[in-house]
Amino acid sequence: MKQITLGHVNFKPFSVAMSLVFLLSGCSLLPKEQEALAPPLLEPAATQYETETVTRIDLIDAYEARAEFQSTNSADVYYRELGQRVKEVHVKPNQAVKKGDLLIELEQDDLPFQVQQQQINLNEAKLDVESALERKKEQEKLQSDIQALKNEMTKVDNEIKEQKDKIRATDNEEKLIERQTKLDSTEQKKLQIEQELAMKELQQQSMSDINRDIQRAELNVERQQNQLNNYRTKLEASLITAPISGIITSLAKLQAGEMIEPFQTLVTISDPNSLRLVSKPSGNRVNELSVGMEVIVTIDGKELNGEIFDLPDENAPDKDISIEVKDIPSSIDLGERANIKIIFEIREDVITIPASAIRNYEDQQVVRILDGDNLTEVGVQTGLKVDDRVEVISGLEEGDQLILR
């Protein structure tokens, strides 16, 4: 830009002569010892303009913003129960952790004792099941013995009948005595079987429904096991560990003794090996973006190629703009910042001027230019507007001195 000075004034000879006459006549009124001083001749202030030389450039219409590399694989860590207090925090922000590492330790109260006592209750319940199963074996054996005695009784009854038939058919006194003796022995055996069978059947009647006892004992084992699992879960939950390996990207401000809220995010862990560029949406031109559009990513002066992966929508208007970057250098770290540019249109080698230099007269756009010391108004036709610059399609040439103000 340059400053231009205009408006030099020329004084006519007549005006000068009249001024001298007035001054000479006035001098006679002054004391002789003083002489009147002639007033200085002042030129009017020159008009100054701020100008810009018209040139050609590439005019790029684009969405530009700042973005940050975030992980596509992250995990929020929280606690489900109510009324738990912090005992100790074992990690710091930006710390690298491995899966299973201890993050936060909560107060355990009497949980270890409850786990120990519940284990005893479970062991007792298991003994009840074992005892019931043993009784079932005894009952099954008793039933087997009763059936065996009944079979034996049937066999003895058949022998008695057979022996009685033989006695009736025997004429020989000696054989009759022999067969009668054998019959008496068999009947005595039957009596013994009957007594033993009656005793076992009475013993069977005294036994309860063993299957129901077993089922009840097994249900008690399940109940005690569930309670033990509950205590163990609470005990394990009091030691909050890392679900994945990564970097601590968020850590709640927690003090020892402070109570935590259920489902409050305590820690966020992000995998630094799976990165995606994320940008907060800004301005109304976000609506002009679409998934798949190419993105120029600039980091430390180096350009990378990317494309839009995800955008805000009517269901999630505050969602970030997600960008997949191709061939991310290994030197890029989680949380590193970058500039993004998403180009809508490019006009190459065109004349552009500041929008503020354009004046509107009815339906015509006009700018002022300097041609030497002469100011001229020129009508222009404009095209693409990007921020404060406007493309001039006609009306100006390279080298014109555009008056800005």
Side-chain angles (χ1 to χ4, degrees):
M1 293 183 185
K2 65 180 181 178
Q3 303 296 327
I4 304 298
T5 301
L6 297 177
H8 295 286
V9 179
N10 296 321
F11 294 92
K12 296 182 178 180
F14 176 77
S15 298
V16 175
M18 291 300 293
S19 298
L20 289 175
V21 170
F22 175 77
L23 290 174
L24 289 174
S25 64
C27 289
S28 63
L29 300 176
L30 297 174
K32 293 182 178 179
E33 63 272 17
Q34 295 183 0
E35 294 182 0
L37 298 177
L41 298 177
L42 299 178
E43 295 184 356
T47 303
Q48 294 183 340
Y49 295 100
E50 184 178 343
T51 64
E52 175 182 296
T53 301
V54 174
T55 59
R56 290 182 177 274
I57 62 170
D58 292 341
L59 186 61
I60 302 175
D61 182 22
Y63 175 90
E64 298 185 61
R66 291 283 285 170
E68 180 181 290
F69 280 98
Q70 296 182 3
S71 176
T72 59
N73 180 26
S74 62
D76 292 332
V77 181
Y78 52 86
Y79 191 75
R80 297 174 180 270
E81 302 296 330
L82 177 66
Q84 295 299 311
R85 297 184 182 275
V86 176
K87 181 178 181 181
E88 186 177 356
V89 179
H90 293 270
V91 292
K92 297 178 180 179
N94 300 317
Q95 178 179 334
V97 295
K98 293 181 179 179
K99 183 178 180 179
D101 283 355
L102 181 60
L103 305 175
I104 300 172
E105 187 176 357
L106 304 179
E107 293 181 355
Q108 297 177 348
D109 299 327
D110 60 346
L111 274 175
F113 175 75
Q114 289 178 325
V115 169
Q116 185 179 14
Q117 289 300 111
Q118 188 58 36
Q119 183 64 62
I120 294 174
N121 294 338
L122 176 62
N123 292 340
E124 290 178 344
K126 288 181 177 179
L127 289 175
D128 291 341
V129 172
E130 292 177 4
S131 177
L133 290 174
E134 288 294 328
R135 292 199 305 273
K136 183 176 182 179
K137 288 181 180 180
E138 292 175 2
Q139 191 179 60
E140 289 174 349
K141 185 177 183 305
L142 181 61
Q143 290 174 345
S144 177
D145 291 345
I146 290 173
Q147 185 62 45
L149 288 172
K150 288 181 177 181
N151 294 337
E152 185 70 15
M153 178 70 73
T154 301
K155 182 179 178 181
V156 169
D157 284 340
N158 292 333
E159 289 180 358
I160 290 174
K161 182 178 180 300
E162 183 180 350
Q163 289 172 4
K164 286 182 177 181
D165 291 341
K166 287 182 179 181
I167 289 174
R168 283 193 293 269
T170 301
D171 295 333
N172 188 297
E173 186 176 350
E174 185 176 345
K175 284 188 176 184
L176 183 62
I177 294 173
E178 179 183 351
R179 288 177 177 174
Q180 184 63 48
T181 301
K182 189 174 181 182
L183 176 61
D184 293 341
S185 174
T186 303
E187 288 179 342
Q188 183 65 31
K189 182 178 179 181
K190 178 183 177 181
L191 180 61
Q192 293 175 350
I193 292 174
E194 287 176 344
Q195 292 175 348
E196 186 176 359
L197 181 60
M199 182 183 66
K200 287 186 179 295
E201 286 179 340
L202 183 63
Q203 185 179 357
Q204 184 184 40
Q205 291 176 3
S206 66
M207 288 186 173
S208 61
D209 187 347
I210 192 63
N211 291 327
R212 183 177 297 176
D213 291 344
I214 292 173
Q215 186 178 13
R216 186 179 292 109
E218 288 175 342
L219 288 174
N220 188 42
V221 167
E222 185 177 354
R223 182 185 303 109
Q224 301 301 333
Q225 182 68 64
N226 290 341
Q227 187 62 47
L228 178 61
N229 293 342
N230 183 46
Y231 286 143
R232 282 177 173 171
T233 299
K234 289 182 177 180
L235 185 60
E236 292 172 359
S238 67
L239 302 176
I240 300 176
T241 58
I244 62 172
S245 298
I247 303 294
I248 303 292
T249 52
S250 174
L251 178 63
K253 294 182 179 179
L254 302 172
Q255 301 294 331
E258 180 179 350
M259 185 175 292
I260 61 174
E261 296 294 330
F263 299 98
Q264 171 190 358
T265 299
L266 305 175
V267 182
T268 300
I269 303 173
S270 301
D271 180 5
N273 297 318
S274 55
L275 297 179
R276 179 178 294 158
L277 200 56
V278 173
S279 177
K280 295 291 182 184
S282 62
N284 54 13
R285 302 207 72 184
V286 174
N287 297 329
E288 300 178 42
L289 303 178
S290 60
V291 173
M293 290 183 72
E294 294 184 356
V295 182
I296 300 173
V297 180
T298 305
I299 307 173
D300 296 331
K302 297 181 180 179
E303 289 189 355
L304 301 174
N305 295 322
E307 67 177 35
I308 297 177
F309 175 80
D310 197 12
L311 286 168
D313 53 43
E314 59 182 9
N315 296 322
D318 297 327
K319 186 166 56 176
D320 293 333
I321 301 171
S322 296
I323 300 166
E324 290 283 6
V325 181
K326 302 174 183 178
D327 302 323
I328 301 177
S330 58
S331 59
I332 300 298
D333 295 324
L334 189 67
E336 191 159 345
R337 306 278 291 177
N339 293 321
I340 63 169
K341 179 185 288 187
I342 304 166
I343 297 176
F344 297 118
E345 188 174 358
I346 298 178
R347 299 288 176 86
E348 297 181 349
D349 195 32
V350 296
I351 291 175
T352 69
I353 62 173
S356 59
I358 301 174
R359 300 184 178 189
N360 294 302
Y361 294 115
E362 296 181 354
D363 295 334
Q364 188 174 12
Q365 294 177 306
V366 175
V367 297
R368 298 184 301 168
I369 62 173
L370 283 175
D371 184 5
D373 290 339
N374 298 321
L375 183 150
T376 305
E377 288 188 340
V378 177
V380 293
Q381 181 183 356
T382 60
L384 180 65
K385 182 178 184 297
V386 178
D387 297 328
D388 63 340
R389 304 293 297 186
V390 180
E391 175 192 10
V392 175
I393 299 174
S394 64
L396 292 177
E397 298 293 338
E398 284 187 88
D400 285 347
Q401 295 299 314
L402 177 70
I403 296 177
L404 302 179
R405 61 179 182 180

